[in-house]
Amino acid sequence: MTPQAQLALLLLLPIVLLLFKRFPTDRAVVISFILAWLFLPQRTTFAFPGLPNYDRTSATSYSIILATYLYNPQTFRTFKFGWLDIPMLMWCISPFLSSITNNLGPYDGFSSMLTQIIKYGIPYFLGRLYLNNFKGLQELAIGIFVSGIVYAPLCILESLISPQLHRMVYGYHGIEQFSQSYRLGGYRPNVFMNHGLATGMWMMTAVLIALWLWQSGTLKKFLHIPMNLWFIGLYVTHLLVRSTGAYMYMAFGVVILFCAKFLRTAFPKLLLILLLSSYLYLGGNRELHRRTSGSNYSGCY
């Protein structure tokens, strides 16, 4: 953790407040989350006794909550709890239940639950407040697309010089195992994310959104450049990120988009959800079997 990394974390709050002052609130939320996710330093925290660490995740959530309270407090009253929120509620309280079940005590349970709420619950809550309608989702889609354009030159640069931008800006590498940056005969960019896999998934998402904005006619040009050219450029960058998982999800995404457009069916999407759910279920069962049997085998999933 370096002084410039600490400064970047502290500057997020005034930047978010400025964004809320200059832009509509839903756009300010999208910009704030994307800006923090793509550019804040990794593994930089401020520790407070008895409270979760103040890091890039909690800083983003706290800043947006405060900005909402200051500039648009009536937004909080629009939230109505529904059955769709139950999975996230269970996810947030599950650490407490796990601690009690394993006889770790209520203090450990509350501490773990609070960390879970800050990491997942508050971002989900903010998404429910601001992105639960067509306008909010459109802002999110265009925001990710634009962020892909911003990130593309950085990804291309790191594919040539190796992941160095985090070290050059913040004074240390953002990933713990630099050896994982070499993949498929070249360097896998990380930029300011915690791993090349995360960068690959983000760029894959930007490519899919660019494809859909182009094919649906939602956005014909951006900065006076046709959308098909933006798609080609982002797709080439997506290939240079060298993430085979992102390649696979890109193929799934294209199939799902065009099935929805031409066949008017959501079956591929439902199949993907089923496959992901089965994968997580089998992985969880394997880990449970390993722990109960006392085996040292951790699996590969």
Side-chain angles (χ1 to χ4, degrees), residues 3-24:
Q4 60 266 38
Q6 293 175 314
L7 178 62
L9 199 60
L10 294 175
L11 285 176
L12 180 64
L13 175 58
I15 290 174
V16 170
L17 294 177
L18 179 62
L19 290 172
F20 268 75
K21 188 174 182 180
R22 295 197 56 183
F23 296 104

Side-chain angles (χ1 to χ4, degrees), residues 201 204 208 244-254 272 276 279:
M201 291 299 292
M204 179 276 299
L208 276 179
T244 54
Y247 295 165
M248 180 184 68
Y249 284 116
M250 177 68 188
F252 270 117
V254 170
L272 180 60
L276 289 173
Y279 177 81

Side-chain angles (χ1 to χ4, degrees), residues 96 99-100 103-112:
F96 178 81
S99 295
I100 297 300
N103 297 318
L104 297 177
Y107 179 83
D108 178 85
F110 278 115
S111 177
S112 301

Side-chain angles (χ1 to χ4, degrees), residues 70-95:
L70 293 176
Y71 291 101
N72 198 22
Q74 65 272 17
T75 303
F76 291 119
R77 294 194 292 269
T78 64
F79 177 78
K80 295 181 179 180
F81 184 83
W83 66 271
L84 287 174
D85 302 312
I86 294 177
M88 179 54 66
L89 175 64
M90 296 302 298
W91 177 249
C92 288
I93 66 176
S94 60

Side-chain angles (χ1 to χ4, degrees), residues 114-297:
L114 184 57
T115 300
Q116 192 91 324
I117 290 172
I118 292 172
K119 189 174 182 179
Y120 297 101
I122 295 179
Y124 173 83
F125 173 69
L126 292 171
R128 287 278 279 108
L129 288 180
Y130 288 105
L131 307 178
N132 64 342
N133 52 51
F134 178 79
K135 185 176 182 296
L137 292 175
Q138 186 179 43
E139 290 284 357
L140 178 61
I142 294 178
I144 294 176
F145 162 65
V146 174
S147 73
I149 294 174
V150 173
Y151 236 46
L154 305 180
C155 290
I156 294 172
L157 176 61
E158 285 205 339
S159 70
L160 297 173
I161 67 171
S162 78
Q164 298 292 337
L165 289 175
H166 196 286
R167 180 190 60 79
M168 294 167 64
V169 173
Y170 294 119
Y172 63 98
H173 281 295
I175 54 175
E176 296 182 0
Q177 296 182 345
F178 188 81
S179 60
Q180 296 184 3
S181 298
Y182 193 80
R183 186 73 181 268
L184 301 177
Y187 292 110
R188 178 165 58 185
N190 297 306
V191 196
F192 298 102
M193 292 195 179
N194 62 347
H195 200 280
L197 295 174
T199 308
M201 291 299 292
W202 189 271
M203 295 306 298
M204 179 276 299
T205 306
V207 174
L208 276 179
I209 290 175
L211 175 63
W212 192 245
L213 291 175
W214 167 36
Q215 288 295 305
S216 65
T218 303
L219 195 62
K220 298 182 183 299
K221 290 184 177 181
F222 180 73
L223 299 178
H224 306 292
I225 299 175
M227 284 298 297
N228 60 334
L229 297 181
W230 284 119
F231 167 72
I232 293 172
L234 287 173
Y235 184 77
V236 172
T237 306
H238 152 74
L239 294 177
L240 292 175
V241 172
R242 295 181 173 85
S243 175
T244 54
Y247 295 165
M248 180 184 68
Y249 284 116
M250 177 68 188
F252 270 117
V254 170
V255 171
I256 289 170
L257 289 179
F258 282 97
C259 282
K261 180 177 181 179
F262 296 111
L263 302 180
R264 302 294 181 180
T265 176
F267 176 74
K269 179 176 66 176
L270 297 176
L271 179 61
L272 180 60
I273 294 172
L274 179 62
L275 290 173
L276 289 173
S277 301
S278 301
Y279 177 81
L280 294 173
Y281 174 76
L282 293 174
N285 276 354
R286 184 183 299 179
E287 177 66 13
L288 178 62
H289 176 73
R290 182 187 69 83
R291 292 184 179 183
T292 55
S293 63
S295 172
N296 290 324
Y297 173 68

